[in-house]
Amino acid sequence: MLKDNQIVKMYTLGINAVFHDSAACLIKDGQLVAAAEDERFTHIKHGKRPVPFSTYELPFHAINYCLEVAGIHLNDVDHFAYSFDPYLLLGKHGAEQFLQLPLQPSKATKSEEWLSPWDPLFLSYIVNAPLQLVAGYPHHLQKRFKGARIKDEQWHFTEHHISHAVSAYHPSPYSHAAVITLDGRGEIATTTYNVAEGNNLNRIGQVNMPSSLGLLYEQVTSYLGFLHSSDEYKVMALASYGKPEFIEDFRQMISVEANGQYIIQNENLVERFGPERLRHEEFTSHHFNIAHSLQLAVEETSLELCNWLYKETKEENLCMAGGVALNCVMNARIRDRGSFKNIWVQPASGDSGTALGAAIWVDMQQRKSSTKDFRMHHAYWGPEYSDEEIEKFLQWTKTKYRKMNDVAEETAAILANDKIIGWFQGRMEFGPRALGSRSILASPINPNMQARLNEVKDREDFRPVAPVVLEEDATEWFVGATYSPFMLFVYDVQPDKADKIPAVRHVDGTARIQTINEQQHPLYYNLLKAFKKKTGVPVLVNTSFNTLGKPIVCTPRDAIECFWSSPFDCLVIGTFLLEK
């Protein structure tokens, strides 16, 4: 764009705030500058709960981080992309000055005008997001917010599922693809189908509320005693221990129709399956079998939907996003049994990734770009800390440490000695997976390591731990694995390697792998190389650097607090080693 006859850069700020996984990202002329979830700064997992009266909460800390990386003030942002369009639900009320809100919406009679009695409050908060952004920031962040003004033409509400779809396709390696988005809900859509070529995205179908694979999975998550919109991945892990005893029940609930449509019956799970499990009750085979049957039914349905999409588009490439696309077992089934030749899944497929999709969409339109400008080779877009910053903090806290001469070599020796380490290196990951910047690492050789890590992290015994493997060695250790940098697919462990890495082999014989090459994260890659040289195994256990119910650590303070309050052995932070 032009200002005073000078060509200047255009900044677009993407914001997700409507439900959960509040996040922000900053695009500068088509290139991603920074991206992070708000939870990493506030220590509130998922940022907030997805309730209609929390919609006013904006990811101020994540926004502040993005502005800080670019060295700009909020007034320097040219366009704002918010990943939800309230006017799709407001209808005729969009032009009105007043909305009527029941005093107690949860007790109000359902109206034909609204999907929920809470909608007037919910939508009003969204419409007022620009004012809340300039007036509601925390006091300690005023440096980059104070005095901000946003003009109407700078603010763009972007449909939720367009944001998902753009986040899936535009950072992908493909110049054309079919695109499917699967989540709980957007404004109206729960599933969308698109065909994309160049910078064009054409929607060819969608499934609307109330039918939603994501909401069904959430419902069963709650029934099994977990926290919905948070613990669905635990149900996926639990499913491996069960049998398809209730598959016909779920097949009755889900009816796949023509043209990519499906209908989900709103079932009373207690009437169908018996009393729900309370949070601290023991798991039984009944619970395992419900989880297994749900998982299988979702896999079958998603595969059928993807096969329909292939027949409609004849594309060889598939891009996926939406919270359901974080289901790595489902993704593997689509990969292995579906019609598409290539699949790329957005690593921040949940709602946090809509901040990225919305920003790319608005940036592309405002610059009138005719080319795909950004490819996502890695997910390292969060904060980083220099050795100087880390050492200054260590000295201030009077923490004992020593500086390492060769971080990869010395850390590999510690891991080969069966120690568990916290690993804090480089820019933090964007999305829910720890990918070697904020990780807990261990050797996969000891079969007891999975149980040890679950004890260290204070989490459920049934939870698997995942491996990272050198990209060049992936096929030798995992069946059919070549390039999988984001932990979004499972692969079978090679039969002749199963006894060598028992800690990362799940009960069903699979592992959710991350491959790593030198370009993505040189130090992490060199650590794997050094560990392979010492043990003959190019694999490490990689799990997220956090404990139960806490977000992944972000800052040196977070890392040190987690280290000293958890029973793992060492912390490698920058070039420094802390030992217990």
Side-chain angles (χ1 to χ4, degrees), residues 3 11 96 279 509:
K3 286 185 180 179
Y11 289 103
E96 296 177 1
R279 179 179 178 184

Side-chain angles (χ1 to χ4, degrees), residues 363-417:
D363 167 86
M364 184 179 66
Q365 292 177 327
Q366 293 301 316
R367 291 189 301 111
K368 297 180 172 56
S369 173
S370 59
T371 59
K372 285 179 62 179
D373 298 311
F374 170 66
R375 181 175 172 186
M376 202 167 183
H377 295 282
H378 61 77
Y380 308 116
W381 297 103
E384 63 180 333
Y385 298 86
S386 67
D387 264 7
E388 290 74 20
E389 290 173 302
I390 293 169
E391 186 167 29
K392 183 178 179 181
F393 182 76
L394 291 172
Q395 291 173 344
W396 180 75
T397 59
K398 300 181 180 178
T399 299
K400 291 183 179 180
Y401 66 92
R402 72 171 176 86
K403 188 171 178 64
M404 305 170 79
N405 295 317
D406 187 329
V407 174
E409 186 69 25
E410 294 179 50
T411 304
I414 295 169
L415 291 167
N417 199 29

Side-chain angles (χ1 to χ4, degrees), residues 254-311:
I254 306 171
S255 271
V256 180
E257 310 285 319
N259 300 321
Q261 296 296 304
Y262 61 86
I263 297 172
I264 294 183
Q265 303 299 327
N266 187 14
E267 289 282 330
N268 185 318
L269 298 181
V270 172
E271 289 182 3
R272 185 177 280 268
F273 298 125
E276 64 183 13
R277 175 187 169 268
L278 299 179
R279 179 179 178 184
H280 295 294
E281 289 182 344
E282 291 293 321
F283 288 101
T284 68
S285 59
H286 182 70
H287 302 128
F288 296 150
N289 294 341
I290 291 172
H292 183 94
S293 302
L294 166 71
Q295 175 67 28
L296 180 58
V298 170
E299 290 174 25
E300 290 177 347
T301 304
S302 61
L303 178 61
E304 193 169 348
L305 299 178
C306 287
N307 284 341
W308 170 82
L309 181 59
Y310 175 78
K311 291 176 183 176

Side-chain angles (χ1 to χ4, degrees), residues 154-180:
Q154 291 179 278
W155 191 270
H156 310 267
F157 288 115
T158 304
E159 193 216 354
H160 192 71
H161 273 263
I162 284 180
S163 302
H164 270 313
V166 172
S167 80
Y169 168 66
H170 282 268
S172 79
Y174 314 133
S175 59
H176 55 88
V179 186
I180 185 170

Side-chain angles (χ1 to χ4, degrees), residues 91-112:
K92 66 180 182 181
H93 298 289
E96 296 177 1
Q97 287 188 311
F98 299 96
L99 294 177
Q100 186 174 16
L101 175 70
L103 184 61
Q104 293 182 291
S106 58
K107 295 183 179 180
T109 304
K110 188 172 181 180
S111 165
E112 292 184 1

Side-chain angles (χ1 to χ4, degrees), residues 42-54:
T42 65
H43 304 129
I44 299 170
K45 192 150 189 179
H46 302 295
K48 59 183 178 181
R49 296 301 299 151
V51 290
F53 41 84
S54 72

